[in-house]
Amino acid sequence: MWKIAWRNLWRNRTRTVIIASAIAFSYGLMLISMGVSADSYARMEEKAREATGGSVLVHGAGWWEGQGSDVVVADPEPVMTRAEAMPEVEAVMPRVIINGLLSSARGNEAVRLSGVVLEREQALADLREDLVAGEFFSEELDSPVVISEGLAQRLSVEVGDKVVLTASRVDGEVTRALFYVSGLLTSGMAGEADLQAYAPLKLAQEAVGMGDALTQVGVLVSAVEAQNEVIAALQKVEGAQALEVLSWQQAVPEMSGLLEFDAAVNGIYFVVIFLIVLFAIANTFLMAVMERVREYGLLSALGVGPGQVGRLVIWEAFYLALVGMLAGLVLGLTGHLTIASVGIDMAAMGAGDMEMAGIAMNDLVVRSHLEPGRWLLASAMVLAVVMISAVYPAVRAMRLAPSQAMRFYE
Amino acid sequence: MSDSAAGEDAPLIEVRDLERIYHQGEVEVRALRGINLKVERGEFTALAGPSGSGKTTLLNMIGCLDDPSSGEVRIEGERVSGMSRTQAAEYRLGHIGFVFQAYNLIPVLTAWENAEFVLLMQGVSREERHAILDPLFERVGLAEYKDRKPHEMSGGQQQRVAVVRALGSRPRIVLADEPTANLDSATSASLLDLMLELNRERGVTFVFSTHDEMVIERARRVIRLDSGRVVADERDEGA
């Protein structure tokens, strides 16, 4: 029977080639799309993790709403010690975040100053990569600060110039602190990233009278799956009741929501493609069955049971799926490997100033990443769609009464 | 006769009070009206009659291709009417060979593959298939045509392959529905002579439906049908 099915497939070559091409293109493009989507989501998540400060973020309770200097992690030691002891944790980054005003002789600008330990931040992002002038925290300067190019332009300052930070102290009093511009960062885009400035952690703590307290402890976790475990562990440390321990997805739900929405839209797109392919194949098979009514009658007369007649149609669908999917695999893998090695520069595609949920997506080069599990799942789905499309024609073939089928053309 | 009495003593084919009514919309068509007949082993029988007389319908009932509205068909004493479609297919596979008027062969298979199809379905080994079919191909003069597809053969050659397939499956009965209807006279005569010889040589029972006088002349028994009834049952005693 499989021999008849295979040869039946090639009786109308043009029709088979058209339908196999539809399967090949659907499957191939789906593989490419899956690879690109998976990689772009990973990169967007990476950007979001960088922007929020890590996979897991520890703050004083309620900090995320107002982001005031008065909400702190008063005793960061237990949190940092516990986090550093966990094998899933790649880096622990203590930070002070100050929302204030930066002033020069030419004017005042809003600023978000992060006090950081540069070496610890390397695990999350190499901040020095974005330097366009000067250096990070020059030892020649007493109070170095690194600001964005845009901020520097608006304040009309250059490397080495003085700027003054005005911000609220922990005790609520307004304070002023003098800094020297040590370096300039690329702005990349207009928005929150343009307001960003960096200073050594100790200086930032001193500027707002924080002592050893921190605004944030960023924790970088090796795998998404381990995030909840780390959160649970940090929620149990001494003094945790005064803390807020969040994943980056909880901290910026808009971003994870956007990614989920995009994935859902992609899912709908695939379903629509699958439905089109399903109906196209079902129609083709139904036509083929109706063209071969007499043959099915003959097979039945010769002793082929209804189930075997149905299987003949299903076999033909299987071969069609096999041919189409093999061609699609070649197409998909070629596309995947090309994009994985060359990459798609989103800036060149007109998405240079893209921002999602307030997070800059500049310098985004998307490649392709195919996970074997998802690839197998997608392949199984395509195969299932083709096989399902043959079910109704197979049932029609099974239901043909042999005596009627043999009279069909008389 | 009960099923338990089935066997060598029972007629090969026994048709009792067979009726077949078709419904075409509001119209009721009585294709068979109480047919009774028996066919013994080794007979070469023609079902003759004009178009619409019920020949093909009767043949379909005997071949388990259709179910009667009432009455029954027994083969070797076993009731074969009223079987499920799967049971009927299994029965045909093991007991009945068919030669149809046209569209006899599966177009995508070669002559050899068509002929061995039923044997494959029966689970016969490759060696045995060759042992059965090679002499038959020689016998019908198609030994050189085994690898040809149906569209590469003439109508007569295709019918011969159908005969090889029908006989190769080692059936109790070969049912042939207007086997010569699409053939010219010479080819028809040649095919009939071949079937007659095979009937004599192998003792296989042939039942034909036909309105071709040439077939009727060669048959050793002619059952004439008209309007769904048997109107004559003639035997050639000298044959």
Side-chain angles (χ1 to χ4, degrees):
Chain A
M1 297 296 277
W2 56 266
K3 191 185 279 184
I4 297 177
W6 174 253
R7 292 185 188 172
N8 272 343
L9 188 64
W10 300 106
R11 283 167 78 169
N12 191 330
R13 278 174 192 273
T14 309
R15 189 165 63 194
T16 297
V17 167
I18 289 171
I19 295 296
S21 302
I23 296 169
F25 276 107
S26 307
Y27 179 55
L29 292 178
M30 188 178 74
L31 290 182
I32 293 170
S33 174
M34 271 173 53
V36 170
S37 296
D39 191 75
S40 63
Y41 291 155
R43 302 220 176 241
M44 285 175 191
E45 286 179 4
E46 196 179 300
K47 288 274 181 190
R49 227 173 22 243
E50 282 177 22
T52 51
S55 321
V56 174
L57 306 163
V58 184
H59 306 100
W63 179 83
W64 204 263
E65 286 83 43
Q67 301 194 9
S69 303
D70 55 330
V71 184
V72 296
V73 181
D75 181 12
E77 194 57 35
V79 171
M80 292 186 61
T81 307
R82 180 72 186 96
E84 281 169 344
M86 296 187 75
E88 304 89 347
V89 171
E90 288 183 345
V92 179
M93 296 154 284
R95 295 191 191 101
V96 167
I97 299 169
I98 305 164
N99 290 306
L101 209 59
L102 203 61
S103 309
S104 71
R106 295 289 296 271
N108 308 306
E109 288 288 333
V111 71
R112 182 183 174 87
L113 179 79
S114 295
V116 296
V117 179
L118 195 59
E119 294 71 28
R120 284 182 178 259
E121 296 291 332
Q122 302 304 310
L124 182 65
D126 189 353
L127 298 171
R128 286 172 295 201
E129 279 182 357
D130 292 335
L131 266 179
V132 289
E135 58 183 307
F136 242 95
F137 308 158
S138 168
E139 288 176 3
E140 293 172 10
L141 298 171
D142 283 343
S143 301
V145 68
V146 176
I147 64 174
S148 73
E149 260 184 311
L151 195 57
Q153 273 176 7
R154 290 197 297 281
L155 292 172
S156 295
V157 293
E158 294 174 356
V159 172
D161 288 352
K162 282 191 289 189
V163 286
V164 175
L165 172 74
T166 307
S168 293
R169 287 170 55 91
V170 177
D171 56 14
E173 294 294 315
V174 174
T175 187
R176 310 184 96 196
L178 178 68
F179 287 92
Y180 288 91
V181 178
S182 166
L184 300 179
L185 294 169
T186 178
S187 293
M189 53 173 289
E192 196 167 338
D194 199 38
L195 306 179
Q196 192 64 52
Y198 296 94
L201 179 70
K202 210 69 199 163
L203 283 177
Q205 284 173 320
E206 285 168 7
V208 289
M210 262 191 185
D212 288 333
L214 297 171
T215 311
Q216 182 183 73
V217 178
V219 181
L220 188 62
V221 179
S222 56
V224 179
E225 302 77 49
Q227 270 183 196
N228 288 341
E229 201 179 321
V230 172
I231 289 171
L234 297 183
Q235 280 170 337
K236 288 177 193 157
V237 299
E238 188 188 333
Q241 61 275 14
L243 301 177
E244 196 170 61
V245 185
L246 303 174
S247 66
W248 73 263
Q249 292 96 330
Q250 291 168 319
V252 275
E254 305 87 350
M255 179 68 188
S256 52
L258 275 173
L259 293 182
E260 282 170 18
F261 176 74
D262 195 64
V265 170
N266 265 354
I268 292 168
Y269 162 75
F270 285 141
V271 167
V272 170
I273 297 264
F274 283 160
L275 281 177
I276 293 169
V277 170
L278 189 144
F279 285 117
I281 299 170
N283 181 51
T284 305
F285 272 104
L286 203 55
M287 280 169 62
V289 166
M290 297 318 288
E291 283 169 7
R292 298 175 198 155
V293 165
R294 180 91 195 202
E295 278 171 50
Y296 294 127
L298 173 63
L299 288 171
S300 185
L302 295 178
V304 176
Q308 288 168 305
V309 170
R311 280 200 288 278
L312 182 65
V313 179
I314 296 291
W315 265 111
E316 196 173 329
F318 176 74
Y319 285 134
L320 180 67
L322 207 64
V323 170
M325 286 177 71
L326 277 174
L329 190 64
V330 172
L331 177 74
L333 284 183
T334 306
H336 160 70
L337 292 173
T338 307
I339 296 169
S341 64
V342 176
I344 301 171
D345 186 352
M346 298 306 281
M349 302 278 285
D353 290 337
M354 192 168 69
E355 182 187 314
M356 286 178 80
I359 295 166
M361 294 293 159
N362 51 328
D363 301 331
L364 197 63
V365 176
V366 172
R367 295 178 192 277
S368 180
H369 174 71
L370 269 180
E371 292 166 22
R374 293 191 62 187
W375 169 49
L376 283 174
L377 181 69
S379 305
M381 278 172 63
V382 172
L383 182 63
V385 164
V386 179
M387 300 312 284
I388 288 168
S389 68
V391 168
Y392 178 65
V395 169
R396 286 287 299 265
M398 284 167 69
R399 285 184 181 164
L400 288 169
S403 58
Q404 289 171 347
M406 293 304 288
R407 278 205 303 269
F408 195 74
Y409 296 109
E410 286 176 1
Chain B
M1 186 185 290
S2 68
D3 283 355
S4 60
E8 292 295 314
D9 296 339
L12 181 65
I13 302 167
E14 185 174 12
V15 175
R16 290 182 187 170
D17 304 323
L18 204 66
E19 297 211 350
R20 183 64 167 105
I21 301 168
Y22 294 110
H23 295 277
Q24 294 178 341
E26 298 288 306
V27 183
E28 193 176 80
V29 180
R30 301 189 72 187
L32 298 177
R33 303 169 185 239
I35 301 276
N36 285 285
L37 61 87
K38 290 177 183 174
V39 175
E40 299 297 337
R41 289 170 184 77
E43 283 193 11
F44 197 79
T45 302
L47 301 175
S51 290
S53 59
K55 307 182 297 289
T56 298
T57 305
L58 179 55
L59 215 58
N60 284 344
M61 302 286 159
I62 296 170
C64 314
L65 293 174
D66 198 1
D67 279 325
S69 303
S70 65
E72 63 178 19
V73 176
R74 286 174 180 269
I75 296 176
E76 293 183 315
E78 185 182 354
R79 186 186 161 114
V80 296
S81 46
M83 284 178 168
S84 73
R85 286 182 56 197
T86 304
Q87 286 172 326
E90 282 172 11
Y91 191 85
R92 289 193 294 271
L93 180 65
H95 299 86
I96 303 171
F98 285 95
V99 179
F100 294 102
Q101 177 179 335
Y103 303 100
N104 251 311
L105 305 181
I106 299 161
V108 292
L109 300 183
T110 63
W112 173 265
E113 288 165 343
N114 263 287
E116 72 170 351
F117 181 80
V118 178
L119 291 174
L120 270 168
M121 295 284 296
Q122 290 174 344
V124 174
S125 70
R126 180 185 162 84
E127 291 72 27
E128 206 178 338
R129 294 200 300 273
H130 275 279
I132 293 166
L133 295 177
D134 282 337
L136 277 170
F137 267 95
E138 288 287 343
R139 180 68 186 78
V140 302
L142 291 176
E144 307 299 318
Y145 293 79
K146 287 177 186 171
D147 295 328
R148 291 203 184 177
K149 294 269 180 70
H151 66 88
E152 296 166 333
M153 293 187 288
S154 69
Q157 288 168 334
Q158 288 183 40
Q159 291 298 70
R160 282 165 185 262
V161 175
V163 170
V164 170
R165 181 184 61 204
L167 290 172
S169 65
R170 300 159 299 176
R172 302 279 192 284
I173 316 154
V174 172
L175 301 176
D177 185 13
E178 306 268 10
T180 59
N182 287 359
L183 304 179
D184 60 59
S185 302
T187 312
S188 295
S190 160
L191 181 72
L192 280 168
D193 289 340
L194 171 70
M195 292 165 102
L196 256 172
E197 285 164 22
L198 290 168
N199 167 254
R200 285 190 190 116
E201 288 167 15
R202 295 169 180 250
V204 178
T205 308
F206 280 78
V207 181
F208 301 88
S209 74
T210 186
H211 55 254
D212 184 340
E213 279 306 317
M214 189 192 298
V215 180
I216 294 167
E217 279 170 21
R218 282 172 164 76
R220 292 204 292 272
R221 181 183 175 191
V222 179
I223 298 169
R224 293 190 185 274
L225 298 175
D226 194 13
S227 302
R229 290 193 179 90
V230 175
V231 292
D233 189 347
E234 303 152 2
R235 288 174 191 270
D236 179 2
E237 300 299 337

